[in-house]
Amino acid sequence: MNPAGELMVSSEQRVYDVVMKRAALVRKQLKSMGKPDVIVPGALLNEAYDRCGEICAEYAKTFYLGTLLMTPERQRAIWAIYVWCRRTDELVDGPNASHIAPTALDRWDSRLEDLFRGRPYDMLDGALSDTVSKFPIDIQPFRDMIEGMRMDLKKSRYKNFDELYLYCYYVAGTVGIMSVPVMGIAPDSSTTIESIYSSALALGIANQLTNILRDVGEDARRGRIYLPQDELAWAGLCDDDIFAGKVTERWRNFMKSQIKRARMFFREAEKGVTDLNPASRWPIWASLLIYQQILDEIEANNYDNFTKRAYVSKAKKIVALPLAYARSVV
């Protein structure tokens, strides 16, 4: 309740309602696909997808490893989605971010509209434009991600988890929503599309919370703190402690609670993987299991995410693959 006695709706509930509407829309699109054909020469389109794969391999090694387990068509589509998301993120986090004005995001939003109408601006746009013409992908999650970038331009603190959850949805939960139509749903699945979308949302939230916990020191050096301010205060910490970068007992206890929450979202995400198309389960399980290990590495670093970057070694990634395969066929 707010001071006026009105019922307040949490960010989590608001996002959930949005995601359920997207799932219902996808159900309708599955019955009738009516998107415009993309006029892109075949050779150029193949080159565009190949370039998307190269960018994915360069900047998201763990994620790319998972895509290699997909069917070629799904693989290319996920690369195209990833590259659009990366280009969107670089508008506020890239080398020219300091010169980006909100109007640039407005132009990017307009460009997105054209892309979905089959009018790509460049080769990389063409790959995504082709993808959204082949799969029942809705434009709204893409718009929401752009909204997350607008949030990054004007906000560098989050007073509670409710605010942080909304940010996590905008910049990462949206990726899960974008990806479900590409991954596909098992023909014999007895669960609802809404349930699968809920799990996809949880995976996006879990991944972003993991990113936030891994990058505390890096973000602090840019003047950003993506941690709930009220929870920091309850732990006896403040912004100055983050900028000082000292690993204390208070910090360790705080990190334990944050890691526990991220793992909770990973467990929620696991519920939907078994209902995906069989061809998509192995790569999703692989990505999910490998990404969770970043939390293990933060713990192994004694919760020092100020000066040490938690990463999963190549050997551990390879070891995770047979386990992911076993999960995918059970």
Side-chain angles (χ1 to χ4, degrees), residues 3 7 75 92 99 102 117 123 133 150 160 171 212 223 254 259 276 279 281-283 301 314 317 321 328-329:
L7 183 64
Q75 185 181 87
V92 298
H99 306 293
R117 294 189 184 104
M123 183 173 70
S133 73
R150 289 192 179 97
N160 52 39
V171 300
I212 286 170
F254 173 76
I259 288 174
L276 293 176
R281 292 176 195 162
W282 187 13
N301 288 340
K314 187 174 182 179
K317 291 177 182 177
L321 293 180
S328 70
V329 298

mmCIF file with all atom_site columns, all heavy atoms in Angstrom, residues 3 7 75 92 99 102 117 123 133 150 160 171 212 223 254 259 276 279 281-283 301 314 317 321 328-329:
data_model
loop_
_atom_site.group_PDB
_atom_site.id
_atom_site.type_symbol
_atom_site.label_atom_id
_atom_site.label_alt_id
_atom_site.label_comp_id
_atom_site.label_asym_id
_atom_site.label_entity_id
_atom_site.label_seq_id
_atom_site.pdbx_PDB_ins_code
_atom_site.Cartn_x
_atom_site.Cartn_y
_atom_site.Cartn_z
_atom_site.occupancy
_atom_site.B_iso_or_equiv
_atom_site.pdbx_formal_charge
_atom_site.auth_seq_id
_atom_site.auth_comp_id
_atom_site.auth_asym_id
_atom_site.auth_atom_id
_atom_site.pdbx_PDB_model_num
ATOM 1   N N   . PRO A 1 3   ? 1.197  5.605   0.645   1.00 0.00 ? 3   PRO A N   1
ATOM 2   C CA  . PRO A 1 3   ? 0.674  6.474   1.708   1.00 0.00 ? 3   PRO A CA  1
ATOM 3   C C   . PRO A 1 3   ? -0.796 6.856   1.517   1.00 0.00 ? 3   PRO A C   1
ATOM 4   O O   . PRO A 1 3   ? -1.482 7.171   2.471   1.00 0.00 ? 3   PRO A O   1
ATOM 5   C CB  . PRO A 1 3   ? 1.585  7.708   1.626   1.00 0.00 ? 3   PRO A CB  1
ATOM 6   C CG  . PRO A 1 3   ? 2.866  7.170   1.083   1.00 0.00 ? 3   PRO A CG  1
ATOM 7   C CD  . PRO A 1 3   ? 2.468  6.112   0.104   1.00 0.00 ? 3   PRO A CD  1
ATOM 8   N N   . LEU A 1 7   ? -3.367 0.191   -3.433  1.00 0.00 ? 7   LEU A N   1
ATOM 9   C CA  . LEU A 1 7   ? -2.597 -1.038  -3.573  1.00 0.00 ? 7   LEU A CA  1
ATOM 10  C C   . LEU A 1 7   ? -1.496 -0.852  -4.600  1.00 0.00 ? 7   LEU A C   1
ATOM 11  O O   . LEU A 1 7   ? -1.755 -0.453  -5.737  1.00 0.00 ? 7   LEU A O   1
ATOM 12  C CB  . LEU A 1 7   ? -3.519 -2.188  -3.998  1.00 0.00 ? 7   LEU A CB  1
ATOM 13  C CG  . LEU A 1 7   ? -2.854 -3.574  -4.108  1.00 0.00 ? 7   LEU A CG  1
ATOM 14  C CD1 . LEU A 1 7   ? -2.370 -4.016  -2.734  1.00 0.00 ? 7   LEU A CD1 1
ATOM 15  C CD2 . LEU A 1 7   ? -3.843 -4.581  -4.668  1.00 0.00 ? 7   LEU A CD2 1
ATOM 16  N N   . GLN A 1 75  ? 20.515 -22.027 -34.420 1.00 0.00 ? 75  GLN A N   1
ATOM 17  C CA  . GLN A 1 75  ? 21.816 -21.441 -34.117 1.00 0.00 ? 75  GLN A CA  1
ATOM 18  C C   . GLN A 1 75  ? 21.948 -20.055 -34.744 1.00 0.00 ? 75  GLN A C   1
ATOM 19  O O   . GLN A 1 75  ? 22.293 -19.078 -34.071 1.00 0.00 ? 75  GLN A O   1
ATOM 20  C CB  . GLN A 1 75  ? 22.895 -22.384 -34.670 1.00 0.00 ? 75  GLN A CB  1
ATOM 21  C CG  . GLN A 1 75  ? 24.316 -22.028 -34.360 1.00 0.00 ? 75  GLN A CG  1
ATOM 22  C CD  . GLN A 1 75  ? 25.255 -23.054 -34.993 1.00 0.00 ? 75  GLN A CD  1
ATOM 23  O OE1 . GLN A 1 75  ? 25.630 -22.907 -36.155 1.00 0.00 ? 75  GLN A OE1 1
ATOM 24  N NE2 . GLN A 1 75  ? 25.598 -24.095 -34.255 1.00 0.00 ? 75  GLN A NE2 1
ATOM 25  N N   . VAL A 1 92  ? 24.984 2.279   -24.742 1.00 0.00 ? 92  VAL A N   1
ATOM 26  C CA  . VAL A 1 92  ? 25.186 2.932   -23.443 1.00 0.00 ? 92  VAL A CA  1
ATOM 27  C C   . VAL A 1 92  ? 26.428 2.427   -22.716 1.00 0.00 ? 92  VAL A C   1
ATOM 28  O O   . VAL A 1 92  ? 26.885 3.055   -21.762 1.00 0.00 ? 92  VAL A O   1
ATOM 29  C CB  . VAL A 1 92  ? 23.950 2.752   -22.525 1.00 0.00 ? 92  VAL A CB  1
ATOM 30  C CG1 . VAL A 1 92  ? 22.731 3.408   -23.139 1.00 0.00 ? 92  VAL A CG1 1
ATOM 31  C CG2 . VAL A 1 92  ? 23.667 1.287   -22.251 1.00 0.00 ? 92  VAL A CG2 1
ATOM 32  N N   . HIS A 1 99  ? 28.937 9.777   -25.457 1.00 0.00 ? 99  HIS A N   1
ATOM 33  C CA  . HIS A 1 99  ? 28.395 10.747  -26.413 1.00 0.00 ? 99  HIS A CA  1
ATOM 34  C C   . HIS A 1 99  ? 26.966 10.421  -26.833 1.00 0.00 ? 99  HIS A C   1
ATOM 35  O O   . HIS A 1 99  ? 26.385 11.116  -27.652 1.00 0.00 ? 99  HIS A O   1
ATOM 36  C CB  . HIS A 1 99  ? 29.282 10.811  -27.660 1.00 0.00 ? 99  HIS A CB  1
ATOM 37  C CG  . HIS A 1 99  ? 30.727 11.079  -27.359 1.00 0.00 ? 99  HIS A CG  1
ATOM 38  N ND1 . HIS A 1 99  ? 31.168 12.287  -26.838 1.00 0.00 ? 99  HIS A ND1 1
ATOM 39  C CD2 . HIS A 1 99  ? 31.828 10.296  -27.482 1.00 0.00 ? 99  HIS A CD2 1
ATOM 40  C CE1 . HIS A 1 99  ? 32.487 12.228  -26.670 1.00 0.00 ? 99  HIS A CE1 1
ATOM 41  N NE2 . HIS A 1 99  ? 32.902 11.034  -27.052 1.00 0.00 ? 99  HIS A NE2 1
ATOM 42  N N   . PRO A 1 102 ? 19.724 10.425  -25.370 1.00 0.00 ? 102 PRO A N   1
ATOM 43  C CA  . PRO A 1 102 ? 18.475 9.651   -25.420 1.00 0.00 ? 102 PRO A CA  1
ATOM 44  C C   . PRO A 1 102 ? 17.861 9.594   -26.812 1.00 0.00 ? 102 PRO A C   1
ATOM 45  O O   . PRO A 1 102 ? 17.203 8.617   -27.164 1.00 0.00 ? 102 PRO A O   1
ATOM 46  C CB  . PRO A 1 102 ? 17.571 10.402  -24.436 1.00 0.00 ? 102 PRO A CB  1
ATOM 47  C CG  . PRO A 1 102 ? 18.521 11.023  -23.456 1.00 0.00 ? 102 PRO A CG  1
ATOM 48  C CD  . PRO A 1 102 ? 19.718 11.405  -24.279 1.00 0.00 ? 102 PRO A CD  1
ATOM 49  N N   . ARG A 1 117 ? 9.582  -4.756  -40.045 1.00 0.00 ? 117 ARG A N   1
ATOM 50  C CA  . ARG A 1 117 ? 8.758  -4.636  -41.259 1.00 0.00 ? 117 ARG A CA  1
ATOM 51  C C   . ARG A 1 117 ? 9.476  -5.192  -42.488 1.00 0.00 ? 117 ARG A C   1
ATOM 52  O O   . ARG A 1 117 ? 8.989  -5.089  -43.609 1.00 0.00 ? 117 ARG A O   1
ATOM 53  C CB  . ARG A 1 117 ? 8.398  -3.174  -41.511 1.00 0.00 ? 117 ARG A CB  1
ATOM 54  C CG  . ARG A 1 117 ? 7.477  -2.572  -40.445 1.00 0.00 ? 117 ARG A CG  1
ATOM 55  C CD  . ARG A 1 117 ? 6.988  -1.194  -40.888 1.00 0.00 ? 117 ARG A CD  1
ATOM 56  N NE  . ARG A 1 117 ? 6.199  -0.548  -39.870 1.00 0.00 ? 117 ARG A NE  1
ATOM 57  C CZ  . ARG A 1 117 ? 6.636  0.440   -39.084 1.00 0.00 ? 117 ARG A CZ  1
ATOM 58  N NH1 . ARG A 1 117 ? 7.875  0.893   -39.209 1.00 0.00 ? 117 ARG A NH1 1
ATOM 59  N NH2 . ARG A 1 117 ? 5.842  0.976   -38.173 1.00 0.00 ? 117 ARG A NH2 1
ATOM 60  N N   . MET A 1 123 ? 23.693 -5.147  -42.881 1.00 0.00 ? 123 MET A N   1
ATOM 61  C CA  . MET A 1 123 ? 23.801 -6.596  -42.994 1.00 0.00 ? 123 MET A CA  1
ATOM 62  C C   . MET A 1 123 ? 23.371 -7.304  -41.708 1.00 0.00 ? 123 MET A C   1
ATOM 63  O O   . MET A 1 123 ? 22.631 -8.296  -41.738 1.00 0.00 ? 123 MET A O   1
ATOM 64  C CB  . MET A 1 123 ? 25.248 -6.976  -43.338 1.00 0.00 ? 123 MET A CB  1
ATOM 65  C CG  . MET A 1 123 ? 25.473 -8.459  -43.549 1.00 0.00 ? 123 MET A CG  1
ATOM 66  S SD  . MET A 1 123 ? 27.144 -8.803  -44.155 1.00 0.00 ? 123 MET A SD  1
ATOM 67  C CE  . MET A 1 123 ? 28.117 -8.414  -42.698 1.00 0.00 ? 123 MET A CE  1
ATOM 68  N N   . SER A 1 133 ? 11.153 -13.058 -39.417 1.00 0.00 ? 133 SER A N   1
ATOM 69  C CA  . SER A 1 133 ? 10.196 -13.449 -40.445 1.00 0.00 ? 133 SER A CA  1
ATOM 70  C C   . SER A 1 133 ? 9.954  -14.957 -40.440 1.00 0.00 ? 133 SER A C   1
ATOM 71  O O   . SER A 1 133 ? 8.971  -15.438 -41.001 1.00 0.00 ? 133 SER A O   1
ATOM 72  C CB  . SER A 1 133 ? 10.688 -13.006 -41.830 1.00 0.00 ? 133 SER A CB  1
ATOM 73  O OG  . SER A 1 133 ? 11.768 -13.804 -42.269 1.00 0.00 ? 133 SER A OG  1
ATOM 74  N N   . ARG A 1 150 ? 17.666 3.075   -21.776 1.00 0.00 ? 150 ARG A N   1
ATOM 75  C CA  . ARG A 1 150 ? 17.300 4.421   -21.322 1.00 0.00 ? 150 ARG A CA  1
ATOM 76  C C   . ARG A 1 150 ? 17.472 4.527   -19.808 1.00 0.00 ? 150 ARG A C   1
ATOM 77  O O   . ARG A 1 150 ? 17.917 5.555   -19.293 1.00 0.00 ? 150 ARG A O   1
ATOM 78  C CB  . ARG A 1 150 ? 15.850 4.717   -21.700 1.00 0.00 ? 150 ARG A CB  1
ATOM 79  C CG  . ARG A 1 150 ? 15.604 4.922   -23.185 1.00 0.00 ? 150 ARG A CG  1
ATOM 80  C CD  . ARG A 1 150 ? 14.223 5.493   -23.455 1.00 0.00 ? 150 ARG A CD  1
ATOM 81  N NE  . ARG A 1 150 ? 14.009 5.708   -24.880 1.00 0.00 ? 150 ARG A NE  1
ATOM 82  C CZ  . ARG A 1 150 ? 13.372 4.862   -25.690 1.00 0.00 ? 150 ARG A CZ  1
ATOM 83  N NH1 . ARG A 1 150 ? 12.876 3.748   -25.179 1.00 0.00 ? 150 ARG A NH1 1
ATOM 84  N NH2 . ARG A 1 150 ? 13.225 5.128   -26.969 1.00 0.00 ? 150 ARG A NH2 1
ATOM 85  N N   . ASN A 1 160 ? 15.946 -0.695  -4.068  1.00 0.00 ? 160 ASN A N   1
ATOM 86  C CA  . ASN A 1 160 ? 15.543 -1.995  -3.533  1.00 0.00 ? 160 ASN A CA  1
ATOM 87  C C   . ASN A 1 160 ? 15.520 -3.022  -4.656  1.00 0.00 ? 160 ASN A C   1
ATOM 88  O O   . ASN A 1 160 ? 15.739 -2.699  -5.825  1.00 0.00 ? 160 ASN A O   1
ATOM 89  C CB  . ASN A 1 160 ? 14.168 -1.900  -2.849  1.00 0.00 ? 160 ASN A CB  1
ATOM 90  C CG  . ASN A 1 160 ? 13.116 -1.274  -3.751  1.00 0.00 ? 160 ASN A CG  1
ATOM 91  O OD1 . ASN A 1 160 ? 13.078 -1.536  -4.954  1.00 0.00 ? 160 ASN A OD1 1
ATOM 92  N ND2 . ASN A 1 160 ? 12.263 -0.431  -3.173  1.00 0.00 ? 160 ASN A ND2 1
ATOM 93  N N   . VAL A 1 171 ? 16.893 -5.607  -19.375 1.00 0.00 ? 171 VAL A N   1
ATOM 94  C CA  . VAL A 1 171 ? 18.156 -5.843  -20.070 1.00 0.00 ? 171 VAL A CA  1
ATOM 95  C C   . VAL A 1 171 ? 18.494 -7.314  -20.282 1.00 0.00 ? 171 VAL A C   1
ATOM 96  O O   . VAL A 1 171 ? 19.376 -7.626  -21.086 1.00 0.00 ? 171 VAL A O   1
ATOM 97  C CB  . VAL A 1 171 ? 19.335 -5.141  -19.336 1.00 0.00 ? 171 VAL A CB  1
ATOM 98  C CG1 . VAL A 1 171 ? 19.104 -3.651  -19.262 1.00 0.00 ? 171 VAL A CG1 1
ATOM 99  C CG2 . VAL A 1 171 ? 19.555 -5.729  -17.945 1.00 0.00 ? 171 VAL A CG2 1
ATOM 100 N N   . ILE A 1 212 ? 25.750 -9.114  -12.555 1.00 0.00 ? 212 ILE A N   1
ATOM 101 C CA  . ILE A 1 212 ? 25.889 -8.014  -11.601 1.00 0.00 ? 212 ILE A CA  1
ATOM 102 C C   . ILE A 1 212 ? 26.855 -8.397  -10.485 1.00 0.00 ? 212 ILE A C   1
ATOM 103 O O   . ILE A 1 212 ? 27.742 -7.606  -10.119 1.00 0.00 ? 212 ILE A O   1
ATOM 104 C CB  . ILE A 1 212 ? 24.505 -7.633  -11.021 1.00 0.00 ? 212 ILE A CB  1
ATOM 105 C CG1 . ILE A 1 212 ? 23.687 -6.883  -12.075 1.00 0.00 ? 212 ILE A CG1 1
ATOM 106 C CG2 . ILE A 1 212 ? 24.654 -6.788  -9.758  1.00 0.00 ? 212 ILE A CG2 1
ATOM 107 C CD1 . ILE A 1 212 ? 22.233 -6.667  -11.698 1.00 0.00 ? 212 ILE A CD1 1
ATOM 108 N N   . GLY A 1 223 ? 31.312 4.107   -11.709 1.00 0.00 ? 223 GLY A N   1
ATOM 109 C CA  . GLY A 1 223 ? 30.385 4.878   -10.885 1.00 0.00 ? 223 GLY A CA  1
ATOM 110 C C   . GLY A 1 223 ? 29.014 4.263   -10.743 1.00 0.00 ? 223 GLY A C   1
ATOM 111 O O   . GLY A 1 223 ? 28.071 4.919   -10.285 1.00 0.00 ? 223 GLY A O   1
ATOM 112 N N   . PHE A 1 254 ? 26.762 -10.423 2.918   1.00 0.00 ? 254 PHE A N   1
ATOM 113 C CA  . PHE A 1 254 ? 25.872 -9.793  1.937   1.00 0.00 ? 254 PHE A CA  1
ATOM 114 C C   . PHE A 1 254 ? 25.890 -10.575 0.633   1.00 0.00 ? 254 PHE A C   1
ATOM 115 O O   . PHE A 1 254 ? 24.844 -10.859 0.039   1.00 0.00 ? 254 PHE A O   1
ATOM 116 C CB  . PHE A 1 254 ? 26.309 -8.346  1.690   1.00 0.00 ? 254 PHE A CB  1
ATOM 117 C CG  . PHE A 1 254 ? 25.563 -7.668  0.574   1.00 0.00 ? 254 PHE A CG  1
ATOM 118 C CD1 . PHE A 1 254 ? 24.265 -7.216  0.753   1.00 0.00 ? 254 PHE A CD1 1
ATOM 119 C CD2 . PHE A 1 254 ? 26.171 -7.494  -0.677  1.00 0.00 ? 254 PHE A CD2 1
ATOM 120 C CE1 . PHE A 1 254 ? 23.576 -6.593  -0.291  1.00 0.00 ? 254 PHE A CE1 1
ATOM 121 C CE2 . PHE A 1 254 ? 25.484 -6.877  -1.713  1.00 0.00 ? 254 PHE A CE2 1
ATOM 122 C CZ  . PHE A 1 254 ? 24.186 -6.428  -1.520  1.00 0.00 ? 254 PHE A CZ  1
ATOM 123 N N   . ILE A 1 259 ? 23.876 -14.275 -3.769  1.00 0.00 ? 259 ILE A N   1
ATOM 124 C CA  . ILE A 1 259 ? 24.100 -15.501 -4.539  1.00 0.00 ? 259 ILE A CA  1
ATOM 125 C C   . ILE A 1 259 ? 22.942 -16.472 -4.328  1.00 0.00 ? 259 ILE A C   1
ATOM 126 O O   . ILE A 1 259 ? 22.485 -17.136 -5.267  1.00 0.00 ? 259 ILE A O   1
ATOM 127 C CB  . ILE A 1 259 ? 25.448 -16.150 -4.142  1.00 0.00 ? 259 ILE A CB  1
ATOM 128 C CG1 . ILE A 1 259 ? 26.609 -15.297 -4.684  1.00 0.00 ? 259 ILE A CG1 1
ATOM 129 C CG2 . ILE A 1 259 ? 25.550 -17.574 -4.661  1.00 0.00 ? 259 ILE A CG2 1
ATOM 130 C CD1 . ILE A 1 259 ? 27.980 -15.754 -4.227  1.00 0.00 ? 259 ILE A CD1 1
ATOM 131 N N   . LEU A 1 276 ? 10.977 -27.632 -23.490 1.00 0.00 ? 276 LEU A N   1
ATOM 132 C CA  . LEU A 1 276 ? 11.419 -27.085 -24.768 1.00 0.00 ? 276 LEU A CA  1
ATOM 133 C C   . LEU A 1 276 ? 11.534 -28.192 -25.806 1.00 0.00 ? 276 LEU A C   1
ATOM 134 O O   . LEU A 1 276 ? 11.566 -29.386 -25.466 1.00 0.00 ? 276 LEU A O   1
ATOM 135 C CB  . LEU A 1 276 ? 12.782 -26.397 -24.610 1.00 0.00 ? 276 LEU A CB  1
ATOM 136 C CG  . LEU A 1 276 ? 12.819 -25.132 -23.756 1.00 0.00 ? 276 LEU A CG  1
ATOM 137 C CD1 . LEU A 1 276 ? 14.252 -24.643 -23.621 1.00 0.00 ? 276 LEU A CD1 1
ATOM 138 C CD2 . LEU A 1 276 ? 11.933 -24.033 -24.337 1.00 0.00 ? 276 LEU A CD2 1
ATOM 139 N N   . ALA A 1 279 ? 15.431 -30.678 -29.469 1.00 0.00 ? 279 ALA A N   1
ATOM 140 C CA  . ALA A 1 279 ? 16.646 -30.200 -30.137 1.00 0.00 ? 279 ALA A CA  1
ATOM 141 C C   . ALA A 1 279 ? 17.267 -29.008 -29.424 1.00 0.00 ? 279 ALA A C   1
ATOM 142 O O   . ALA A 1 279 ? 18.426 -28.668 -29.680 1.00 0.00 ? 279 ALA A O   1
ATOM 143 C CB  . ALA A 1 279 ? 16.334 -29.833 -31.587 1.00 0.00 ? 279 ALA A CB  1
ATOM 144 N N   . ARG A 1 281 ? 17.058 -28.556 -25.866 1.00 0.00 ? 281 ARG A N   1
ATOM 145 C CA  . ARG A 1 281 ? 17.275 -28.761 -24.423 1.00 0.00 ? 281 ARG A CA  1
ATOM 146 C C   . ARG A 1 281 ? 18.754 -28.821 -24.041 1.00 0.00 ? 281 ARG A C   1
ATOM 147 O O   . ARG A 1 281 ? 19.159 -28.245 -23.034 1.00 0.00 ? 281 ARG A O   1
ATOM 148 C CB  . ARG A 1 281 ? 16.578 -30.056 -23.982 1.00 0.00 ? 281 ARG A CB  1
ATOM 149 C CG  . ARG A 1 281 ? 15.075 -29.993 -24.030 1.00 0.00 ? 281 ARG A CG  1
ATOM 150 C CD  . ARG A 1 281 ? 14.480 -31.346 -23.681 1.00 0.00 ? 281 ARG A CD  1
ATOM 151 N NE  . ARG A 1 281 ? 13.070 -31.402 -24.054 1.00 0.00 ? 281 ARG A NE  1
ATOM 152 C CZ  . ARG A 1 281 ? 12.386 -32.530 -24.188 1.00 0.00 ? 281 ARG A CZ  1
ATOM 153 N NH1 . ARG A 1 281 ? 12.998 -33.691 -24.009 1.00 0.00 ? 281 ARG A NH1 1
ATOM 154 N NH2 . ARG A 1 281 ? 11.114 -32.500 -24.525 1.00 0.00 ? 281 ARG A NH2 1
ATOM 155 N N   . TRP A 1 282 ? 19.542 -29.553 -24.835 1.00 0.00 ? 282 TRP A N   1
ATOM 156 C CA  . TRP A 1 282 ? 20.954 -29.705 -24.474 1.00 0.00 ? 282 TRP A CA  1
ATOM 157 C C   . TRP A 1 282 ? 21.677 -28.362 -24.410 1.00 0.00 ? 282 TRP A C   1
ATOM 158 O O   . TRP A 1 282 ? 22.326 -28.052 -23.404 1.00 0.00 ? 282 TRP A O   1
ATOM 159 C CB  . TRP A 1 282 ? 21.639 -30.663 -25.450 1.00 0.00 ? 282 TRP A CB  1
ATOM 160 C CG  . TRP A 1 282 ? 23.058 -31.022 -25.061 1.00 0.00 ? 282 TRP A CG  1
ATOM 161 C CD1 . TRP A 1 282 ? 23.678 -30.790 -23.865 1.00 0.00 ? 282 TRP A CD1 1
ATOM 162 C CD2 . TRP A 1 282 ? 24.031 -31.669 -25.877 1.00 0.00 ? 282 TRP A CD2 1
ATOM 163 N NE1 . TRP A 1 282 ? 24.966 -31.252 -23.869 1.00 0.00 ? 282 TRP A NE1 1
ATOM 164 C CE2 . TRP A 1 282 ? 25.211 -31.808 -25.101 1.00 0.00 ? 282 TRP A CE2 1
ATOM 165 C CE3 . TRP A 1 282 ? 24.022 -32.158 -27.184 1.00 0.00 ? 282 TRP A CE3 1
ATOM 166 C CZ2 . TRP A 1 282 ? 26.363 -32.398 -25.601 1.00 0.00 ? 282 TRP A CZ2 1
ATOM 167 C CZ3 . TRP A 1 282 ? 25.177 -32.763 -27.675 1.00 0.00 ? 282 TRP A CZ3 1
ATOM 168 C CH2 . TRP A 1 282 ? 26.334 -32.880 -26.893 1.00 0.00 ? 282 TRP A CH2 1
ATOM 169 N N   . PRO A 1 283 ? 21.587 -27.512 -25.438 1.00 0.00 ? 283 PRO A N   1
ATOM 170 C CA  . PRO A 1 283 ? 22.299 -26.227 -25.339 1.00 0.00 ? 283 PRO A CA  1
ATOM 171 C C   . PRO A 1 283 ? 21.809 -25.340 -24.202 1.00 0.00 ? 283 PRO A C   1
ATOM 172 O O   . PRO A 1 283 ? 22.606 -24.636 -23.578 1.00 0.00 ? 283 PRO A O   1
ATOM 173 C CB  . PRO A 1 283 ? 22.042 -25.574 -26.700 1.00 0.00 ? 283 PRO A CB  1
ATOM 174 C CG  . PRO A 1 283 ? 20.886 -26.301 -27.293 1.00 0.00 ? 283 PRO A CG  1
ATOM 175 C CD  . PRO A 1 283 ? 20.970 -27.690 -26.770 1.00 0.00 ? 283 PRO A CD  1
ATOM 176 N N   . ASN A 1 301 ? 36.608 -17.429 -4.983  1.00 0.00 ? 301 ASN A N   1
ATOM 177 C CA  . ASN A 1 301 ? 37.466 -16.246 -4.855  1.00 0.00 ? 301 ASN A CA  1
ATOM 178 C C   . ASN A 1 301 ? 37.275 -15.550 -3.507  1.00 0.00 ? 301 ASN A C   1
ATOM 179 O O   . ASN A 1 301 ? 37.711 -14.401 -3.335  1.00 0.00 ? 301 ASN A O   1
ATOM 180 C CB  . ASN A 1 301 ? 37.171 -15.251 -5.982  1.00 0.00 ? 301 ASN A CB  1
ATOM 181 C CG  . ASN A 1 301 ? 37.684 -15.721 -7.329  1.00 0.00 ? 301 ASN A CG  1
ATOM 182 O OD1 . ASN A 1 301 ? 38.557 -16.582 -7.414  1.00 0.00 ? 301 ASN A OD1 1
ATOM 183 N ND2 . ASN A 1 301 ? 37.124 -15.179 -8.402  1.00 0.00 ? 301 ASN A ND2 1
ATOM 184 N N   . LYS A 1 314 ? 37.771 -23.390 -19.347 1.00 0.00 ? 314 LYS A N   1
ATOM 185 C CA  . LYS A 1 314 ? 37.362 -24.187 -20.494 1.00 0.00 ? 314 LYS A CA  1
ATOM 186 C C   . LYS A 1 314 ? 37.176 -25.649 -20.110 1.00 0.00 ? 314 LYS A C   1
ATOM 187 O O   . LYS A 1 314 ? 36.237 -26.313 -20.571 1.00 0.00 ? 314 LYS A O   1
ATOM 188 C CB  . LYS A 1 314 ? 38.399 -24.062 -21.618 1.00 0.00 ? 314 LYS A CB  1
ATOM 189 C CG  . LYS A 1 314 ? 37.968 -24.715 -22.919 1.00 0.00 ? 314 LYS A CG  1
ATOM 190 C CD  . LYS A 1 314 ? 38.984 -24.427 -24.022 1.00 0.00 ? 314 LYS A CD  1
ATOM 191 C CE  . LYS A 1 314 ? 38.524 -25.058 -25.345 1.00 0.00 ? 314 LYS A CE  1
ATOM 192 N NZ  . LYS A 1 314 ? 39.489 -24.771 -26.443 1.00 0.00 ? 314 LYS A NZ  1
ATOM 193 N N   . LYS A 1 317 ? 33.877 -26.117 -18.446 1.00 0.00 ? 317 LYS A N   1
ATOM 194 C CA  . LYS A 1 317 ? 32.788 -26.022 -19.431 1.00 0.00 ? 317 LYS A CA  1
ATOM 195 C C   . LYS A 1 317 ? 32.622 -27.355 -20.160 1.00 0.00 ? 317 LYS A C   1
ATOM 196 O O   . LYS A 1 317 ? 31.501 -27.825 -20.379 1.00 0.00 ? 317 LYS A O   1
ATOM 197 C CB  . LYS A 1 317 ? 33.078 -24.906 -20.434 1.00 0.00 ? 317 LYS A CB  1
ATOM 198 C CG  . LYS A 1 317 ? 33.001 -23.510 -19.845 1.00 0.00 ? 317 LYS A CG  1
ATOM 199 C CD  . LYS A 1 317 ? 33.378 -22.462 -20.885 1.00 0.00 ? 317 LYS A CD  1
ATOM 200 C CE  . LYS A 1 317 ? 33.361 -21.062 -20.295 1.00 0.00 ? 317 LYS A CE  1
ATOM 201 N NZ  . LYS A 1 317 ? 33.786 -20.034 -21.275 1.00 0.00 ? 317 LYS A NZ  1
ATOM 202 N N   . LEU A 1 321 ? 29.274 -30.409 -20.255 1.00 0.00 ? 321 LEU A N   1
ATOM 203 C CA  . LEU A 1 321 ? 28.494 -30.799 -21.433 1.00 0.00 ? 321 LEU A CA  1
ATOM 204 C C   . LEU A 1 321 ? 27.816 -32.155 -21.294 1.00 0.00 ? 321 LEU A C   1
ATOM 205 O O   . LEU A 1 321 ? 26.628 -32.279 -21.593 1.00 0.00 ? 321 LEU A O   1
ATOM 206 C CB  . LEU A 1 321 ? 29.378 -30.758 -22.680 1.00 0.00 ? 321 LEU A CB  1
ATOM 207 C CG  . LEU A 1 321 ? 29.848 -29.359 -23.110 1.00 0.00 ? 321 LEU A CG  1
ATOM 208 C CD1 . LEU A 1 321 ? 30.723 -29.453 -24.359 1.00 0.00 ? 321 LEU A CD1 1
ATOM 209 C CD2 . LEU A 1 321 ? 28.665 -28.448 -23.377 1.00 0.00 ? 321 LEU A CD2 1
ATOM 210 N N   . SER A 1 328 ? 19.174 -33.282 -20.448 1.00 0.00 ? 328 SER A N   1
ATOM 211 C CA  . SER A 1 328 ? 18.302 -32.992 -21.590 1.00 0.00 ? 328 SER A CA  1
ATOM 212 C C   . SER A 1 328 ? 17.519 -34.206 -22.054 1.00 0.00 ? 328 SER A C   1
ATOM 213 O O   . SER A 1 328 ? 16.465 -34.063 -22.698 1.00 0.00 ? 328 SER A O   1
ATOM 214 C CB  . SER A 1 328 ? 19.119 -32.444 -22.756 1.00 0.00 ? 328 SER A CB  1
ATOM 215 O OG  . SER A 1 328 ? 19.935 -33.440 -23.332 1.00 0.00 ? 328 SER A OG  1
ATOM 216 N N   . VAL A 1 329 ? 18.001 -35.416 -21.773 1.00 0.00 ? 329 VAL A N   1
ATOM 217 C CA  . VAL A 1 329 ? 17.322 -36.621 -22.251 1.00 0.00 ? 329 VAL A CA  1
ATOM 218 C C   . VAL A 1 329 ? 16.524 -37.335 -21.167 1.00 0.00 ? 329 VAL A C   1
ATOM 219 O O   . VAL A 1 329 ? 15.767 -38.263 -21.465 1.00 0.00 ? 329 VAL A O   1
ATOM 220 C CB  . VAL A 1 329 ? 18.332 -37.618 -22.893 1.00 0.00 ? 329 VAL A CB  1
ATOM 221 C CG1 . VAL A 1 329 ? 18.995 -36.985 -24.093 1.00 0.00 ? 329 VAL A CG1 1
ATOM 222 C CG2 . VAL A 1 329 ? 19.354 -38.082 -21.875 1.00 0.00 ? 329 VAL A CG2 1
#
